[in-house]
Amino acid sequence: MSYQAKGLQAWLYQRLTGAFMMLYILYFLSVILTQDQMTYLQWVKWFSHPLMNTATGLFFLHLAYHAWVGMRDIVLDYVSNDSLRLFTLAGISFFLITSSLYLLRILFSLSLNV
Amino acid sequence: MRFSIYRYNPETDPRPYMQEYTLVDPAPGMMLRDALLRIKNEQDESLSFRHSCGEGVCGSDGMNINGKNGLACVTPISELTQPVIIRPLPGLPVIRDLVIDMSQFFTQYRAVKPWLIVKDPIPEVEFKQSPEERDKLDGLYECILCACCSTSCPSFWWNPDKFRGPAALLQAWRFLADSRDQATEERLQALDGPYKLFRCHSIMSCVDACPKHLNPTKAIGNIKKLMLKSML
């Protein structure tokens, strides 16, 4: 998540993370849409499975990186003042890192339920 | 036929304004450049704009015509809705009326080294190139540097000092695609980083604006693909 990330790397990772997220969303939707009803317990069991737990964790990490590249692009385009740019990028990375850690914490606590 | 034209003389006008003109009896098949010349000759000789060849080859009379960049000399006035609103190409400083300062545009153009770089001894007679290799330059060499594409690109508006812009990147690909050029790695390295190439988000305003029907977005995509290939 470096501000100095080379252009090609950021561009490539944005596409790779997008591809992974698309696969995850397709799988997620295929399960949700084919189930008649899902109780809370079934939901917890589903997300506690090590594979689903790991895939979901990876999904949110990919989402955070994907969002970082996209938001960084917007900031590089529209925010020309250096201090404001640094402040905005710091704010965005703080939000993405804390929300990712929070989500990973939830997923980790679920994994202990197995 | 009614025209509304952007006027600004920094020496006398506190701010730019739009001036109305009416052209009586426009000739059939008249191009916008001829209409502007008639307005200048018959109504207001202080109206300033660049023009030269009059046939879409020199790229001098790029301007914003009814909200879209184009060349006045190849734009028939019969196709324009009235009043025809004419402004200078956006995003670059105005020198006077429709004349803009294109220094930034040419600085970016020069930065991609738009010439053949050959490391082997230069052949005495000529560079050999097969017809297939030559075909790869079609759609690239035709650029007349009118700046219609770069000045229609929001990424170039926001970062004209850092982003190369579609015209310069089309030329970058023109030399990367050239079988005679031997500086592929250096050219690719010079374009890496978050700004020079990667400010392009493929919105294709450049393709829409190009009066020569070229495709800078595709050229930029090809540079990215070549970069990826070279990285792998």
Side-chain angles (χ1 to χ4, degrees):
Chain A
M1 280 202 192
S2 162
Y3 170 52
Q4 292 298 333
K6 295 268 186 176
L8 179 68
Q9 279 173 1
W11 177 80
L12 178 63
Y13 290 155
Q14 193 177 35
R15 271 138 194 84
L16 292 177
T17 51
F20 176 83
M21 287 194 295
M22 194 177 71
L23 290 176
Y24 179 91
I25 290 168
L26 284 175
Y27 168 70
F28 181 80
L29 286 177
S30 72
V31 173
I32 289 288
L33 296 175
T34 49
Q35 292 274 336
D36 280 344
Q37 215 175 15
M38 196 181 262
T39 61
Y40 175 71
L41 283 177
Q42 282 172 313
W43 180 271
V44 169
K45 198 180 162 203
W46 185 30
F47 279 93
S48 305
H49 190 280
L51 271 179
M52 186 58 185
N53 199 277
T54 312
T56 309
L58 283 174
F59 173 82
F60 282 109
L61 288 178
H62 281 62
L63 178 66
Y65 190 84
H66 193 84
W68 166 251
V69 176
M71 293 305 291
R72 188 193 70 145
D73 271 344
I74 295 171
V75 171
L76 292 188
D77 279 346
Y78 295 104
V79 184
S80 51
N81 180 290
D82 281 348
S83 321
L84 189 61
R85 180 181 280 188
L86 194 65
F87 179 76
T88 318
L89 287 174
I92 292 167
S93 53
F94 177 76
F95 172 77
L96 289 173
I97 289 169
T98 46
S99 42
S100 300
L101 287 174
Y102 182 55
L103 278 155
L104 290 179
R105 187 173 155 259
I106 295 171
L107 286 167
F108 184 69
S109 69
L110 278 175
S111 70
L112 297 178
N113 287 343
V114 181
Chain B
M1 186 156 193
R2 289 176 299 124
F3 292 85
S4 176
I5 303 178
Y6 178 101
R7 302 299 310 273
Y8 182 50
N9 180 351
E11 288 171 12
T12 54
D13 302 327
R15 63 184 64 83
Y17 60 97
M18 299 301 287
Q19 189 164 347
E20 312 295 321
Y21 296 95
T22 303
L23 189 69
V24 186
D25 246 359
M30 193 180 214
M31 296 293 171
L32 179 60
R33 167 184 173 268
D34 305 315
L36 290 173
L37 279 171
R38 255 190 68 188
I39 291 172
K40 185 177 170 71
N41 292 336
E42 296 169 8
Q43 301 178 38
D44 186 350
E45 61 183 18
S46 71
L47 175 65
S48 303
F49 57 96
R50 287 195 183 104
H51 70 103
S52 182
C53 73
E55 51 187 28
V57 175
C58 72
S60 302
D61 60 354
M63 53 188 73
N64 188 274
I65 308 156
N66 278 347
K68 189 178 165 186
N69 291 353
L71 294 178
C73 59
V74 291
T75 305
I77 53 171
S78 55
E79 290 176 6
L80 300 171
T81 51
Q82 295 188 50
V84 183
I85 299 169
I86 300 172
R87 293 172 183 275
L89 290 176
L92 291 175
V94 173
I95 295 172
R96 183 169 164 161
D97 298 342
L98 304 176
V99 180
I100 51 164
D101 180 358
M102 292 175 68
S103 312
Q104 193 72 71
F105 174 79
F106 284 115
T107 300
Q108 295 297 5
Y109 173 60
R110 276 192 293 272
V112 302
K113 300 191 176 171
W115 55 80
L116 276 182
I117 299 175
V118 180
K119 291 165 186 170
D120 294 343
I122 292 174
E124 276 181 31
V125 184
E126 60 188 343
F127 285 105
K128 300 278 187 193
Q129 198 171 39
S130 71
E132 293 75 28
E133 288 168 340
R134 168 61 189 78
D135 285 348
K136 289 181 183 165
L137 308 182
D138 285 342
L140 305 173
Y141 78 92
E142 296 94 331
C143 174
I144 55 172
L145 297 172
C146 63
C148 286
C149 59
S150 289
T151 56
S152 69
C153 173
S155 290
F156 189 72
W157 298 341
W158 312 146
N159 290 296
D161 53 334
K162 300 191 191 91
F163 176 50
R164 296 278 178 252
L169 291 171
L170 184 86
Q171 290 312 300
W173 175 243
R174 181 247 172 276
F175 286 95
L176 282 165
D178 195 313
S179 59
R180 301 163 295 179
D181 193 84
Q182 294 175 336
T184 304
E185 266 313 304
E186 293 93 312
R187 289 183 190 279
L188 290 179
Q189 272 171 20
L191 287 173
D192 201 10
Y195 283 104
K196 295 167 191 166
L197 171 71
F198 287 95
R199 282 307 85 212
C200 170
H201 307 308
S202 310
I203 64 165
M204 301 179 82
S205 275
C206 50
V207 181
D208 187 44
C210 180
K212 305 298 280 186
H213 310 294
L214 307 180
N215 193 334
T217 307
K218 192 177 168 193
I220 292 169
N222 284 335
I223 299 176
K224 287 175 181 170
K225 269 191 250 169
L226 188 63
M227 263 187 183
L228 192 61
K229 221 167 124 185
S230 133
M231 189 185 86
L232 297 174

